[in-house]
Amino acid sequence: MKGHPAAFVLAAAAVIGVVGIVIQVLLTRELLVVFQGNEFTIGIVMANWLLLEAAGALSARFGRSSRTHQWFLLALALSVLSLPLSLYLARSLRWFLGVGPALSLDLGQMAVGSFLALAPACITHGACFTFACRAYNRLAAGGKELAGRVYVWETVGTLVGAVLLTGVLALRWPAFTITAWLAATAAAAVVLAAFALVSTGLRRRWLAVGLVLLLMAVAAVPGSWVARLQEQTLALHWQGRDVLFHEDSYYGSITAMETREQQMIYYDGSPSLIIPDPDLERLETTAHVSLLFHQEPRDILLVSGGAGGMLQEIQKHPMDTLDYVELDPALLTAAARLDAPLVRQELDDPRLRTIPKDGRLFVSSTDRVYDAVILHVGEPSTLQTNRLYTQEFFSQIKERLRPGGLLALTLPGSSSHLGHELLRLNRSMYRTLDSVFSHVRILPGDINVYLASSDHGLHGVGPDEMTARLRERDLETVLVTESYLDYRLDDDRWSRFQDKISDVSGTRANTDFNPAAVYYTLGHWGAMFSPQLQRIMSALDAMGMYQWLAVFSFLLAAAVLWLWVQRRGGKPKGVQHWTIYGAVACAVITTGMAGMVLDLVILFAFQSLHGYVYQAMALLIALFMAGAAVGAWWSGRTAEGKQTIGRLAAVDVLLVAMLAVLPQYLRLAAASPVFFMAASVAAGALTGAQFPFAASCLHASGRPSAGGLAYGLDLAGGWAGALISAVFLVPLLGIAHTAWVIAGVKVLSSLLLIGAAVSTAGHFSKGTIR
Amino acid sequence: MRFGRRSWLLLLVSAAIVAGFVLGSDLVPWGPSDPVPENTTSTRVETVDFPWREAMFYEQLADDKVQCNLCFRECVIPEGERGFCRNRENIEGSLFSVVWGRPSAVHVDPIEKEPLHQFLPGTKIYCIGTAGCNFRCSFCHNWTLSQRSVEEIGYYPNSTPREVVNTVKERGVPTISFTYNEPTSAYEYLYDVAKKAQEAGINVVFHSNGSMSPEPLRELLQYVDAVTIDLKGFTERYYNEILGASLEPVLETLKIIREEGVWLEIVNLVVPEENDDPEEIRAMCHWIVENLGTDVPLHFSRFFPNYQMTHAAPTPISTLEGARDVAKQSGIQYVTIGNVPGHPSNSTECPDCGEILIERVHFSVHDVNIENGQCTHCGHEVSGVFQ
Ligand code: SF4
Ligand SMILES: [Zn+2]
């Protein structure tokens, strides 16, 4: 055992990799639930993640090098404790921030909150890795830089962790159970490392520490600890509400609650079912107003939001079949668990066929046709829900409608005054429907009803006809009565609203890759909760892709100019040095940005097209990291000599190409997640390959500690990339244009590099720089 | 080939020129082709032009400051600034109303939507709302109106009091209502419309949070036919924390309206865990009976969060029914439950025989069993305005 202590360090590195990816994905998911956030928040979490990892790595600098091994052990031991701590912080964040469960969080609160929650796990993780490198170097190479091997093993661990997590998520374990296993793994690493790394006297002490931690972690798994923590954080989150049960399903988080006789199920933090007294206005309006528009709806498809009254309302109509697609079967199980007569009855109806499947997947694969398709999804405030409101999905639905068939959906409205933001959302949806269907009708109200059809008959139906159908079908309705229909279809009352909504100029249509409705929905809530930010967003709204590019170019030019001024009176070695230095620095910082944007673009596109990003996230990120490792390894072998800068430029050009074609590629590759994985590897490889080249070039241009500098620049770029793209670019421009803006930025940086390469070619060959 | 510093500069400059040329040309679509229209009503207005109507009920202070005495806030407003409600601006030491003649929402709705249940049931009201409010309720339903200034949301032109009254007369609507936002913040507009309407034989009602100061309130009530007041809770804590306001002035308002003999109805929005304590509701009902009598209709309204977007829970029906029972036990004669379409207590019951006086579902009236102000079943004298 004592013979190969270095091998133990590598094993520990693998464990560090496992821990890193699992906790990252786990915390991201928990934070999103706590924020009721949409996927764009992933960018904020990722940016914080980068910063905190770097802080961990930096903090590792302070250990005295003679004690490296002990520091390494300490960091590992701390990481065991930090995992549950971070999870605890994340899940009770609302309580720490002092924001009740009924209120929305603003961007600042999300940034600060996720920073705090991530800090323990993330800092110790960064420190562990750095100490592992140093420990390995001391043991294996007597000081020679061999950190690469630790990196490789960490990456292997990351991949293993991602695969494991993907499997475990399907088991629906509570987050604390997963974390307990994770902590146990890390504690085992402490024990192993203690065997291998420290001398006899200290070993006993560290072994004891490791074993105690291991025991604690393992004991927590089956014991009441996990349950207690889970419950405690749940209580802190809901702050005094009566929680019946909670479950993390494959697709989301489900919480059932009770207030007196009223039971509610919250899905990802938003109410999705209220019994025994549902929001009747919403249910009746959605179901009956739309179905009364159809002369004889025989076959009906309901996409989402069925259990809890919606099915019952639809079933009141005389029809043959009702297909109900619900993405998350766990939601139906939870609804059944409440054992309400209403839910039991509606799910027992013989005409009902429940299809636990993704709505999009179902619609694109079925060959059934329908008279009416009703979307009852919840506002398009996330990519997950928005995928059921896009042009692409509407086109698929259109294929499945019989002649005379119609699509119905609702959006929030107002009977008194539609605010600017809500108006934009409604316009965007109208525009999207209008781009697919030849006939669209809006029925404004507190709930705006949209009806779309390829048949012009839609426009002819008036309140009299609907009232006749109401009688004919003998519907037992409470709210939808003759007078209500008169009110809802009174052109006098509503024409101003209709005119306003159908005036769509300047509003974007909603597509998979340009999820405008998400941005408009967020804007609506932003206007209420953080009007300042909303004002900034609205101002930026006018900017298209080219304006953004202009801004970035300006920043880049300013940076180069600044460098030039800095160097002007300086070093006698002259022009070449700052030229290379400036060009390479720009390349590194923009690559950091591009890497992060590629990563996010892949994640967002995946969510838009497939809709279960939290399962895929671990794999996609791990593959990106593995790609980066492979890229770095490959380029590390060749990162010396005069061609380096040329190679650097070549990688840059490849990155441009990748950014440019990625959106189209992902759109075409929509059918299979494998293509997304391949894209992750490629994106990682290109990003990773640049690093050794850049460090070598910086070194050659006379920079001391070039590696550290390159690392810092890369980090800064990644951080900025995550924030800018998630907060501004993707919401405002969509996925494709975001990638293209960054491609444009990389074009500029490539030009700089090529220029630098050309201008200094002579010097390289003369050997003045090397 | 060697690139010197100069060549670099040349390269940069030429690149900039080319970039500028390409970006500036029409070849490149610069984002959305036309600007996002900002107007949310009919006319977007950057500045609201003169003439503005001078405000009533304010006093001039030193340094061109003024004090507004219209509501309990009694804002002291420096020259060039506006009061808390965003609607009253100090210009060179005089106070002006910014929203006079500038409504931002105008619709014809059933009077039940107000809610006003015992005032011409089944008729229509011509509703007017402006920007601005002197409260800051966390769950405001009309925040796009109430928490914005008139410049931000725009207004309908051609809406002077005379024009409004003419339109209403033409359309044959019997009643004008100031609602949606807080009418106090549009006081002079309401006042002038009410005066004109009275001359033209049109009723005027308004729905308010009850925070108007006594003097302006009495002045206004001479021209008003009915008022709905939100008594949103019965603790100072609730008024302070959730509404950013104060309870005392509201109670004062209720008493004054009653004293002046104007028809009054009260709405209480029951928010779970905020103001749903039965003891609080009991205290409120006792206060009502003691200070206003037993025949002021009281409506308990179900709170509904904006669906799918917030964690908040809707009010359980049993909470509302409990509140109704408490109110009836306290002696209040007419108690209804709103915002629960189809609930039996949407309808008004006869306090004597228990039969239905006015049958309602949500906002629609299905049956009225009142003749000459009396219950058709037992002859009970029903308070309210029915002709
Ligand atoms: S009416 Fe407006 S300006 Fe006057 S005191 Fe009240 S809030 Fe202040
Ligand atoms: Zn009677």
Side-chain angles (χ1 to χ4, degrees):
Chain A
M1 239 187 202
K2 196 79 180 123
H4 307 284
F8 283 94
V9 177
L10 294 182
V15 171
I16 295 169
V18 172
V19 169
I21 187 73
V22 173
I23 199 72
Q24 182 179 5
V25 171
L26 222 51
L27 287 176
T28 305
R29 189 177 149 167
E30 291 291 338
L31 285 171
L32 257 74
V33 172
V34 169
F35 294 158
Q36 305 172 54
N38 77 354
E39 298 83 351
F40 299 152
T41 328
I42 294 176
I44 296 172
V45 176
M46 290 248 224
N48 276 332
W49 188 270
L50 276 183
L51 271 192
L52 287 162
E53 283 265 348
L58 264 185
S59 74
R61 284 198 172 178
F62 297 112
R64 230 192 300 149
S65 66
S66 60
R67 293 239 179 112
T68 298
H69 291 165
Q70 288 203 60
W71 282 111
F72 178 44
L73 281 167
L74 182 65
L76 265 180
L78 283 180
S79 82
V80 176
L81 297 173
S82 72
L83 298 174
L85 178 61
S86 269
L87 186 64
Y88 192 92
L89 286 175
R91 287 172 57 94
S92 46
L93 205 55
R94 277 182 178 271
W95 186 80
F96 283 108
L97 292 175
V99 183
L103 297 172
S104 290
L105 294 160
D106 64 33
L107 218 56
Q109 287 167 325
M110 291 189 201
V112 172
S114 60
F115 189 88
L116 290 179
L118 293 174
C122 211
I123 291 177
T124 53
H125 182 257
C128 278
F129 178 70
T130 313
F131 279 124
C133 292
R134 285 176 36 195
Y136 186 77
N137 282 342
R138 266 187 64 190
L139 288 170
K144 196 168 171 262
E145 284 284 327
L146 271 176
R149 239 174 252 178
V150 180
Y151 184 34
V152 168
W153 280 94
E154 201 236 356
T155 306
V156 170
T158 306
L159 277 174
V160 171
V163 173
L164 282 177
L165 182 65
T166 312
V168 164
L169 281 179
L171 294 178
R172 292 202 220 153
W173 284 359
F176 271 110
T177 309
I178 301 177
T179 307
W181 280 113
L182 209 56
T185 319
V190 176
V191 175
L192 281 178
F195 259 118
L197 293 182
V198 285
S199 54
T200 334
L202 285 171
R203 189 185 301 159
R204 208 170 292 159
R205 202 182 298 162
W206 279 111
L207 271 180
V209 169
L211 283 173
V212 168
L213 288 174
L214 184 61
L215 268 175
M216 273 167 57
V218 172
V221 172
S224 59
W225 272 101
V226 162
R228 199 176 301 171
L229 287 174
Q230 195 85 12
E231 262 163 39
Q232 218 176 70
T233 46
L234 210 59
L236 283 176
H237 176 84
W238 290 102
Q239 297 175 25
R241 305 274 189 82
D242 215 342
V243 176
L244 287 175
F245 58 85
H246 174 88
E247 181 184 11
D248 289 310
S249 81
Y250 199 70
Y251 298 98
S253 105
I254 299 171
T255 312
M257 284 198 300
E258 196 170 45
T259 325
R260 307 178 68 130
E261 83 286 356
Q262 182 168 278
Q263 296 180 317
M264 281 162 296
I265 290 183
Y266 283 74
Y267 195 78
D268 279 346
S270 305
S272 80
L273 178 148
I274 303 160
I275 40 177
D277 301 290
D279 186 350
L280 207 59
E281 183 172 4
R282 178 185 180 78
L283 295 182
E284 285 208 358
T285 305
T286 311
H288 302 308
V289 171
S290 50
L291 290 178
L292 287 174
F293 257 90
H294 196 282
Q295 202 168 10
E296 202 187 11
R298 309 264 28 134
D299 300 299
I300 300 167
L301 171 66
L302 172 67
V303 180
S304 192
M310 190 63 189
L311 291 172
Q312 192 190 51
E313 295 304 329
I314 296 175
Q315 284 157 356
K316 287 176 182 170
H317 291 256
M319 42 130 184
D320 298 336
T321 61
L322 169 57
D323 285 356
Y324 165 37
V325 204
E326 183 67 67
L327 171 65
D328 195 343
L331 184 62
L332 293 177
T333 324
R337 217 168 128 183
L338 292 180
D339 199 34
L342 166 70
V343 177
R344 221 179 309 130
Q345 243 172 43
E346 62 188 358
L347 288 176
D348 272 355
D349 189 291
R351 297 165 300 178
L352 176 71
R353 188 167 70 122
T354 308
I355 303 148
K357 208 174 187 179
D358 171 39
R360 283 185 68 146
L361 197 61
F362 174 75
V363 170
S364 63
S365 60
T366 185
D367 48 12
R368 300 194 58 147
V369 285
Y370 299 96
D371 298 306
V373 176
I374 301 176
L375 301 185
H376 191 218
V377 188
E379 287 170 41
S381 60
T382 63
L383 294 175
Q384 167 90 34
T385 45
N386 189 62
R387 32 200 309 279
L388 301 173
Y389 284 100
T390 61
Q391 218 170 40
E392 287 86 348
F393 185 49
F394 292 159
S395 307
Q396 290 174 354
I397 290 179
K398 190 177 163 190
E399 297 302 308
R400 305 263 54 88
L401 287 176
R402 281 208 186 102
L406 59 86
L407 162 68
L409 61 89
T410 59
L411 281 182
S414 169
S415 57
S416 53
H417 179 256
L418 263 179
H420 171 59
E421 291 78 15
L422 204 47
L423 189 58
R424 283 191 312 182
L425 171 64
N426 278 281
R427 281 176 172 162
S428 169
M429 201 50 61
Y430 178 80
R431 181 174 186 163
T432 312
L433 286 167
D434 193 48
S435 69
V436 175
F437 292 94
S438 42
H439 303 278
V440 181
R441 188 152 168 186
I442 320 165
L443 302 178
D446 286 317
I447 297 164
N448 288 339
V449 180
Y450 289 81
L451 300 160
S453 171
S454 309
D455 194 292
H456 71 278
L458 202 57
H459 298 292
V461 183
D464 298 341
E465 199 159 357
M466 289 176 75
T467 308
R469 285 174 188 169
L470 186 73
R471 299 227 173 86
E472 197 179 294
R473 294 179 202 175
D474 202 13
L475 297 183
E476 269 180 46
T477 54
V478 174
L479 181 73
V480 175
T481 54
E482 184 173 356
S483 62
Y484 181 79
L485 291 170
D486 279 343
Y487 172 70
R488 283 305 298 252
L489 277 85
D490 179 1
D491 278 340
D492 245 17
R493 172 73 173 81
W494 302 108
S495 61
R496 270 202 290 241
F497 287 90
Q498 278 162 339
D499 293 347
K500 245 177 264 167
I501 292 171
S502 51
D503 171 18
V504 296
S505 56
T507 315
R508 289 180 277 153
N510 189 40
T511 66
D512 283 348
F513 277 19
N514 193 344
V518 178
Y519 165 62
Y520 293 138
T521 310
L522 294 182
H524 171 49
W525 294 93
M528 188 166 6
F529 293 108
S530 42
Q532 294 305 332
L533 178 73
Q534 190 43 41
R535 245 162 248 159
I536 297 174
M537 293 299 277
S538 287
L540 295 176
D541 202 10
M543 282 173 61
M545 185 166 69
Y546 295 99
Q547 282 94 330
W548 277 102
L549 194 52
V551 169
F552 278 112
S553 318
F554 175 78
L555 289 177
L556 212 59
V560 171
L561 218 64
W562 180 74
L563 279 170
W564 187 51
V565 172
Q566 283 269 303
R567 289 270 148 168
R568 207 174 169 181
K571 300 273 163 62
K573 277 200 171 179
V575 167
Q576 307 78 21
H577 290 188
W578 76 258
T579 311
I580 295 184
Y581 172 65
V584 173
C586 279
V588 173
I589 204 165
T590 51
T591 298
M593 195 179 248
M596 187 49 91
V597 169
L598 281 169
D599 210 3
L600 287 175
V601 158
I602 291 171
L603 287 177
F604 291 158
F606 188 92
Q607 180 73 335
S608 277
L609 296 170
H610 293 282
Y612 52 98
V613 76
Y614 301 115
Q615 290 72 55
M617 201 173 149
L619 263 185
L620 290 175
I621 292 179
L623 286 170
F624 182 88
M625 287 164 76
V630 172
W633 166 78
W634 170 77
S635 70
R637 293 182 323 159
T638 50
E640 269 176 69
K642 57 182 178 179
Q643 262 124 43
T644 311
I645 198 163
R647 294 210 175 102
L648 188 59
V651 172
D652 236 34
V653 171
L654 283 176
L655 260 175
V656 172
M658 171 130 200
L659 282 160
V661 303
L662 185 68
Q664 189 59 21
Y665 164 83
L666 292 178
R667 197 195 309 268
L668 295 175
S672 166
V674 176
F675 288 97
F676 283 81
M677 293 177 182
S680 285
V681 175
L686 286 178
T687 317
Q690 192 165 53
F691 198 77
F693 289 148
S696 163
C697 286
L698 286 174
H699 191 68
S701 75
R703 300 292 304 181
S705 73
L709 179 71
Y711 180 70
L713 290 171
D714 180 59
L715 185 81
W719 182 79
L723 280 186
I724 296 174
S725 62
V727 176
F728 298 113
L729 292 183
V730 175
L732 290 167
L733 299 177
I735 292 170
H737 283 202
T738 298
W740 291 340
V741 166
I742 303 299
V745 173
K746 283 309 291 178
V747 166
L748 294 177
S749 101
S750 305
L751 285 176
L752 274 178
L753 263 185
I754 293 166
V758 172
S759 73
T760 57
H763 287 265
F764 270 107
S765 56
K766 275 185 224 152
T768 44
I769 304 168
R770 177 48 256 295
Chain B
M1 185 176 100
R2 264 190 67 179
F3 265 52
R5 200 178 295 180
R6 218 169 289 158
S7 329
W8 267 108
L9 208 61
L10 209 66
L11 191 79
L12 269 180
V13 169
S14 47
I17 292 172
V18 172
F21 181 77
V22 173
L23 295 180
S25 72
D26 285 335
L27 293 173
V28 183
W30 275 73
S33 48
D34 19 20
V36 178
E38 288 284 320
N39 60 321
T40 49
T41 49
S42 69
T43 323
R44 164 83 179 161
V45 261
E46 292 299 340
T47 44
V48 179
D49 305 339
F50 274 96
W52 294 357
R53 189 205 197 284
E54 192 179 356
M56 301 160 75
F57 303 101
Y58 76 97
E59 53 196 280
Q60 290 171 320
L61 306 176
D63 302 330
D64 268 357
K65 286 186 186 161
V66 301
Q67 174 171 338
C68 175
N69 292 324
L70 185 52
C71 86
F72 72 107
R73 289 199 191 277
E74 304 192 331
C75 299
V76 173
I77 309 168
E79 143 71 18
E81 293 186 18
R82 291 187 183 178
F84 183 83
C85 57
R86 299 186 178 89
N87 282 2
R88 305 164 80 74
E89 186 166 320
N90 176 349
I91 295 168
E92 293 166 5
S94 301
L95 192 62
F96 291 88
S97 166
V98 191
V99 292
W100 188 89
R102 298 183 172 96
S104 298
V106 178
H107 306 289
V108 177
D109 277 335
I111 197 165
E112 280 66 30
K113 207 171 169 213
E114 186 80 349
L116 211 42
H117 282 179
Q118 282 159 245
F119 186 90
L120 305 180
T123 61
K124 300 268 191 217
I125 44 176
Y126 188 90
C127 300
I128 296 175
T130 69
C133 183
N134 58 350
F135 275 29
R136 294 289 179 264
C137 308
S138 323
F139 301 110
C140 182
H141 223 74
N142 280 325
W143 61 272
T144 59
L145 277 176
S146 67
Q147 304 304 320
R148 293 288 182 270
S149 68
V150 62
E151 285 87 350
E152 283 173 288
I153 58 177
Y155 63 86
Y156 293 111
N158 309 327
S159 306
T160 61
R162 187 192 310 275
E163 286 164 319
V164 167
V165 169
N166 286 342
T167 313
V168 174
K169 236 201 301 198
E170 263 167 43
R171 298 187 58 168
V173 180
T175 310
I176 297 174
S177 163
F178 273 69
T179 184
Y180 302 137
N181 75 319
E182 175 50 40
T184 307
S185 67
Y187 181 85
E188 293 75 14
Y189 189 28
L190 166 56
Y191 181 83
D192 292 349
V193 167
K195 258 180 135 171
K196 283 251 161 2
Q198 199 179 55
E199 286 164 18
I202 294 167
N203 303 308
V204 170
V205 304
F206 67 91
H207 183 157
S208 162
N209 59 29
S211 59
M212 207 180 283
S213 296
E215 201 193 334
L217 178 62
R218 285 187 203 273
E219 176 69 29
L220 173 67
L221 287 175
Q222 309 171 51
Y223 308 104
V224 168
D225 301 279
V227 185
T228 307
I229 296 287
D230 287 324
L231 183 52
K232 294 170 195 259
F234 206 64
T235 58
E236 277 295 341
R237 182 205 70 79
Y238 183 73
Y239 265 84
N240 283 330
E241 283 176 20
I242 307 293
L243 316 175
S246 174
L247 169 66
E248 216 23 66
V250 183
L251 300 181
E252 192 56 33
T253 295
L254 290 168
K255 286 197 260 185
I256 293 173
I257 296 172
R258 220 32 198 167
E259 268 170 43
E260 298 290 325
V262 175
W263 180 247
L264 169 69
E265 304 198 8
I266 298 175
V267 181
N268 177 248
L269 177 71
V270 186
V271 183
E273 282 154 51
E274 293 292 352
N275 65 354
D276 62 345
D277 178 6
E279 284 318 304
E280 186 183 330
I281 290 171
R282 193 180 308 276
M284 177 178 81
C285 294
H286 279 313
W287 185 92
I288 291 175
V289 171
E290 253 164 50
N291 295 278
L292 310 175
T294 58
D295 69 340
V296 175
L298 176 59
H299 315 291
F300 292 106
S301 190
R302 187 184 196 194
F303 167 80
F304 240 108
N306 282 287
Y307 199 69
Q308 295 279 1
M309 277 310 287
T310 83
H311 280 304
T315 323
I317 305 299
S318 64
T319 305
L320 295 162
E321 289 169 344
R324 175 200 61 194
D325 295 344
V326 166
K328 288 204 159 169
Q329 281 157 21
S330 309
I332 298 179
Q333 297 185 43
Y334 309 102
V335 188
T336 55
I337 291 177
N339 216 8
V340 188
H343 192 280
S345 291
N346 286 176
S347 302
T348 305
E349 279 173 14
C350 173
D352 252 4
C353 68
E355 294 291 327
I356 290 179
L357 286 174
I358 307 169
E359 189 186 343
R360 279 182 215 94
V361 174
H362 212 40
F363 302 145
S364 44
V365 172
H366 289 192
D367 202 6
V368 180
N369 298 315
I370 300 171
E371 258 168 41
N372 305 320
Q374 291 178 339
C375 169
T376 50
H377 303 282
C378 72
H380 173 85
E381 206 60 59
V382 185
S383 312
V385 178
F386 299 102
Q387 270 129 30

